[in-house]
Amino acid sequence: MEVKMPLLGQRLKLLRSEKGVTQKDIADLLGKTSRHYQDMEAGKINVPGLTLIRLADFYDVSLDYLVGRSEDRRRL
């Protein structure tokens, strides 16, 4: 079963822009290629749980916010 999360891509782009970092910066942080990260932002691929955790930690937001399950950015 393939489940895409388009809101995740939108939030990744928003958070990256707010933090003032490039797609390459985030790709390097994750140990991925720039193309792979671009596909994450475009909602073309499913993102593994550990990668989601790393991104939520980097942006200091909750996982629920990152994946679109909540509008509250705060981590509990």
Side-chain angles (χ1 to χ4, degrees):
M1 178 174 93
E2 187 168 325
V3 177
K4 299 284 198 273
M5 292 189 279
L7 192 52
L8 169 65
Q10 294 170 15
R11 296 231 165 130
L12 287 174
K13 187 173 184 176
L14 172 70
L15 292 165
R16 182 177 57 76
S17 176
E18 288 176 358
K19 197 156 181 115
V21 293
T22 66
Q23 288 180 330
K24 181 172 180 354
D25 294 333
I26 302 301
D28 290 346
L29 172 79
L30 299 174
K32 307 290 183 189
T33 65
S34 292
R35 182 70 206 165
H36 185 86
Y37 183 75
Q38 289 168 2
D39 287 345
M40 288 170 58
E41 276 193 10
K44 293 181 180 178
I45 60 172
N46 290 314
V47 181
L50 291 175
T51 301
L52 291 172
I53 291 169
R54 192 162 195 188
L55 287 164
D57 287 347
F58 178 77
Y59 290 120
D60 196 28
V61 297
S62 72
L63 279 173
D64 282 343
Y65 173 78
L66 191 62
V67 299
R69 292 175 42 124
S70 171
E71 294 301 314
D72 188 355
R73 290 184 179 201
R74 293 175 295 162
R75 293 174 16 165
L76 303 176

